[in-house]
Amino acid sequence: MLGLSAYYHDAAAALVEDGRIVAAAQQERFTRKKHDAAFPDAAIRYCLGEAGIALADVDRIVFYDKPLLKFERLLETYLAYSPQGFRSFLAAMPVWLKDKLFLKTTLRRELAALGDISEKALPSLLFSEHHQSHAASAFFPSPYQRAAVMCLDGVGEWATTSVWLGHDNQVEAQWEIDFPHSLGLLYSAFTYFTGFKVNSGEYKLMGLAPYGEPKYVRTIRENLLDIKDDGTFRLNMKYFNYATGLTMTNRRFAELFGGPARKPESPVTQREMDLAASVQVVTEDVVLALARTVAKETGEKNLCLAGGVALNCVANGRLLREGPFESVWIQPAAGDAGGALGAALMAWHQYLDRPRSVNGSDAMHGAYLGPRYGDGAIRASLDELGASYERLDDAALFERLAEILDNENVVGWFQGRMEFGPRALGGRSIVGDPRSAKMQSVMNLKIKYRESFRPFAPAVKAERVSEWFGLDSESPYMLIVAPVAEPRRREMSDEEKGLFGIQKLHVPRSEIPAVTHVDYSARIQTVHTATNPRFHALLDAFEQRTGCPVLVNTSFNVRGEPIVCTPEDAYRCFMRTEMDYLVLENYLLAKPAQPEWVEQGDWRNEFELD
């Protein structure tokens, strides 16, 4: 089964063989264009190559949503709001009439060209509904025999929130909330209004929230959102422009919050921080209320989550701590890329009625589903680049890296298969010492070239997590936020407690200040020997030397750049930034030993800011 997502954002391909996930990757990693929405030819080629098959060997190809239903929603929305939105209608129609309405024809043409076969010889092409793909991606790889499933995102065809019952090899629809009433689009509206990019800046808004005070919660609840006791909701569309216009919010929205939207890249003010804090609180409240309703209706003790809102790891943390479910599992590729995987699994289990077995752990293989580069390929790449390197066996390498990290150096860490989904989980990561007071600002400003307020996440040996954080369960996909453990915290002075906004940033709050956010929270990744033994071994070596089983883990890229895929991508990113060392499997490279790096022009213009 080959699953595909494309033509909106985060195009991806996933290959499932006899129910086993063989490979999955986003197109952006190969084309180096963030959130690339184009037909995922490179991702498909990779998946087929990983399995050692040709396109003609695939049984079925499954697209992750139904474009005709989406077009129906578009037309009905314009009719409902007519004559408003005529400009937007005129802007959208040519694209639909040229490409999207005839998606099946487009896909067949692209696939035939990719597989070098006639369209008649192509495997049969199926279409899954958008939220059905999300639900399948959440339940089928989960560790549960039965579970309730919640999918929350911006919008698919019609659904923006959907509830499913997963059992054995089935996911059954229960109920849904339809467009334009969308928790995801509410969050995106605030993302837009605070000057960040919709569909990529939502996580920045989440990171900004702890700097603010939730002083607009009442304003939001009284004007923008009618929330029922059961968590279902309706938006007051008088304040939003996304149904008919070319922006997310309108003049009334700006008046409600005391002025126009922040211009992108202009200074972030206390207002944006307070807006972020407020919409974050409202989002968490809705997610919790919905979860309580779903638990009551289904009687299930386990919950699976997918859709873009499921990447809100602060809400996930509250759901885990305060929610009604005994256990929560979240698809690591919860956004549209994961829809490719869900579509493939849906076809295998539900369409073909093939059994599904569970064994207590999930079926995602740690989300390490992308390309791996062997020793010979890496050596050849480094020689081609003229790089200076040494090769060490694992024991010597990890001992050396522990010393390097202990000396506050920043290390690019490239090993094993690339991650599927938006998080770097120790396959394509930049790592550093979380005990260092300067590490957060060094990584933000000299390595990642991104906004100074943004926090970094800790990777911790799974068996040590509860000693360092208020979490006693797994979080292998960095999708749960939990507080730093009380004994690890540093008491703040009265003067420090009185600081506001971004002033809070430079106050060390714990033994691991580089990964402790201003509200003492951390977005945790537990690292397991079963899924990433070498990253676990690195953490172990660092603990042996320092007593700390935690490292800063951030994605191996700069702002606006997709996470690196190949050794060449990694070396280029290493040389362009102030990273100190690079590790490619067993090859160690020190920055001062490298030949001079020459660029044609300013490479920062290569990537569109996210």
Side-chain angles (χ1 to χ4, degrees):
M1 302 292 141
L2 177 66
L4 304 179
S5 66
Y7 303 121
Y8 187 50
H9 53 82
D10 294 319
L15 192 72
V16 171
E17 185 177 17
D18 295 336
R20 186 175 65 90
I21 304 168
V22 174
Q26 292 117 293
Q27 176 77 354
E28 63 163 28
R29 305 294 169 85
F30 305 96
T31 60
R32 315 306 302 152
K33 181 182 175 189
K34 194 137 184 178
H35 303 300
D36 195 344
F39 176 73
D41 54 350
I44 295 170
R45 283 194 189 92
Y46 155 67
C47 288
L48 296 175
E50 187 70 35
I53 61 173
L55 187 65
D57 299 323
V58 171
D59 290 317
R60 284 173 177 79
I61 300 169
V62 197
F63 193 69
Y64 82 127
D65 73 11
K66 295 189 173 179
L68 286 179
L69 281 177
K70 203 175 266 186
F71 188 64
E72 173 193 280
R73 186 247 301 166
L74 204 68
L75 284 181
E76 287 198 21
T77 302
Y78 285 127
L79 284 173
Y81 287 87
S82 178
Q84 290 180 58
F86 189 62
R87 277 183 58 215
S88 171
F89 180 81
L90 288 180
M93 280 308 105
V95 179
W96 274 94
L97 294 175
K98 181 172 178 288
D99 294 319
K100 294 189 178 182
L101 202 53
F102 304 101
L103 196 65
K104 189 171 184 179
T105 305
T106 305
L107 281 171
R108 292 183 65 80
R109 186 180 66 242
E110 295 277 12
L111 286 163
L114 182 144
D116 196 22
I117 52 178
S118 71
E119 292 189 23
K120 283 186 179 176
L122 282 172
S124 63
L125 183 58
L126 306 174
F127 291 82
S128 172
E129 287 191 23
H130 190 97
H131 270 230
Q132 191 179 35
S133 299
H134 277 318
S137 78
F139 176 66
F140 290 135
S142 79
Y144 311 132
Q145 195 72 39
R146 299 180 57 89
V149 182
M150 280 171 46
C151 303
L152 301 101
D153 66 359
V155 61
E157 292 89 0
W158 277 103
T160 67
T161 300
S162 65
V163 175
W164 305 72
L165 182 61
H167 62 90
D168 305 309
N169 67 343
Q170 301 287 311
V171 287
E172 296 173 359
Q174 304 297 297
W175 52 266
E176 67 184 44
I177 299 172
D178 284 349
F179 183 87
H181 308 292
S182 165
L183 192 60
L185 289 176
L186 173 73
Y187 208 86
S188 292
F190 279 88
T191 301
Y192 163 82
F193 192 71
T194 50
F196 302 114
K197 200 168 182 178
V198 171
N199 287 331
S200 73
E202 282 76 4
Y203 60 99
K204 297 184 187 180
L205 194 66
M206 185 178 67
L208 189 64
Y211 293 101
E213 301 294 327
K215 58 174 61 170
Y216 296 111
V217 168
R218 190 170 174 182
T219 307
I220 294 171
R221 296 189 67 140
E222 289 184 351
N223 295 278
L224 303 185
L225 192 66
D226 177 20
I227 309 171
K228 307 298 183 192
D229 291 342
D230 62 4
T232 58
F233 55 85
R234 288 181 67 82
L235 297 190
N236 184 348
M237 295 308 294
K238 275 174 32 182
Y239 292 92
F240 300 93
N241 203 29
Y242 60 77
T244 55
L246 301 173
T247 59
M248 293 298 295
T249 61
N250 61 20
R251 178 180 50 78
R252 288 193 192 95
F253 191 101
E255 288 170 358
L256 195 62
F257 297 108
R262 168 183 166 256
K263 288 197 169 76
E265 306 305 317
S266 64
V268 174
T269 70
Q270 190 64 45
R271 183 185 71 150
E272 282 77 54
M273 297 175 199
D274 294 339
L275 286 168
S278 304
V279 75
Q280 180 62 35
V281 166
V282 172
T283 301
E284 292 168 20
D285 289 347
V286 172
V287 170
L288 272 169
L290 284 171
R292 290 187 184 108
T293 299
V294 170
K296 191 175 172 186
E297 288 178 351
T298 64
E300 297 296 331
K301 62 181 182 180
N302 303 313
L303 176 68
C304 298
L305 287 175
V309 178
L311 294 172
N312 192 311
C313 35
V314 182
N316 296 343
R318 277 194 68 192
L319 195 54
L320 196 62
R321 289 189 298 277
E322 304 170 36
F325 292 97
E326 291 179 16
S327 180
V328 177
W329 189 83
I330 306 150
Q331 164 57 239
D336 278 9
L341 176 61
L345 290 169
M346 172 61 73
W348 174 257
H349 288 301
Q350 198 144 325
Y351 182 77
L352 297 179
D353 196 23
R354 299 299 171 90
R356 166 180 172 267
S357 59
V358 294
N359 61 9
S361 59
D362 72 51
M364 288 297 294
H365 308 289
Y368 306 109
L369 296 167
R372 176 202 300 273
Y373 295 85
D375 191 273
I378 291 173
R379 181 186 286 270
S381 294
L382 293 177
D383 289 341
E384 178 73 22
L385 289 161
S388 172
Y389 58 83
E390 58 182 315
R391 191 184 186 287
L392 302 169
D393 64 27
D394 275 1
L397 177 67
F398 297 144
E399 186 178 349
R400 181 86 165 273
L401 284 174
E403 180 185 1
I404 285 170
L405 290 162
D406 188 20
N407 291 328
E408 297 187 293
N409 291 296
V410 178
V411 177
W413 170 256
F414 179 108
Q415 58 99 36
R417 295 183 71 177
M418 184 178 71
E419 301 88 342
F420 180 51
R423 306 279 179 248
L425 301 169
R428 305 288 186 273
S429 292
I430 298 172
V431 296
D433 185 349
R435 303 166 307 154
S436 167
K438 68 177 186 180
M439 191 56 64
Q440 196 260 3
S441 69
V442 166
M443 278 193 166
N444 265 337
L445 302 178
K446 295 187 175 180
I447 310 292
K448 303 280 285 187
Y449 302 108
R450 68 184 199 182
E451 300 91 337
S452 61
F453 69 83
R454 291 174 58 184
F456 284 104
V460 57
K461 288 168 65 177
E463 61 272 28
R464 293 273 189 274
V465 64
S466 60
E467 298 169 25
W468 290 80
F469 303 98
L471 182 71
D472 57 6
S473 58
E474 296 181 358
S475 177
Y477 304 119
M478 208 185 272
L479 285 169
I480 300 288
V481 163
V484 172
E486 289 277 358
R488 306 289 179 185
R489 297 186 188 181
R490 170 186 169 275
E491 185 67 27
M492 284 192 291
S493 67
D494 289 340
E495 184 183 354
E496 289 169 341
K497 287 177 183 171
L499 294 174
F500 283 96
I502 212 80
Q503 293 174 318
K504 297 176 181 178
L505 181 62
H506 303 296
V507 180
R509 286 174 161 70
S510 76
E511 293 177 37
I512 42 175
V515 293
T516 305
H517 207 356
V518 295
D519 59 353
Y520 289 103
S521 69
R523 181 161 50 89
I524 299 160
Q525 179 200 359
T526 54
V527 180
H528 305 255
T529 51
T531 50
N532 198 337
R534 295 186 84 242
F535 195 32
H536 189 277
L538 175 62
L539 286 160
D540 192 56
F542 189 67
E543 183 186 22
Q544 295 294 324
R545 182 181 175 89
T546 66
C548 176
V550 183
L551 286 173
V552 182
N553 177 14
T554 187
S555 53
F556 199 150
N557 59 353
V558 295
R559 184 181 172 191
E561 180 189 20
I563 294 173
V564 300
C565 178
T566 66
E568 292 81 3
D569 296 338
Y571 186 78
R572 185 170 54 245
C573 186
F574 169 60
M575 293 304 294
R576 284 173 166 177
T577 66
E578 295 183 44
M579 229 179 292
D580 302 297
Y581 289 86
L582 172 63
V583 179
L584 299 159
E585 297 290 352
N586 289 87
Y587 293 89
L588 177 63
L589 291 78
K591 179 64 70 61
Q594 301 310 308
E596 184 182 0
W597 181 257
V598 180
E599 291 277 354
Q600 301 291 327
D602 187 351
W603 64 267
R604 290 180 186 82
N605 298 327
E606 190 175 314
F607 305 111
E608 185 181 344
L609 292 180
D610 61 3

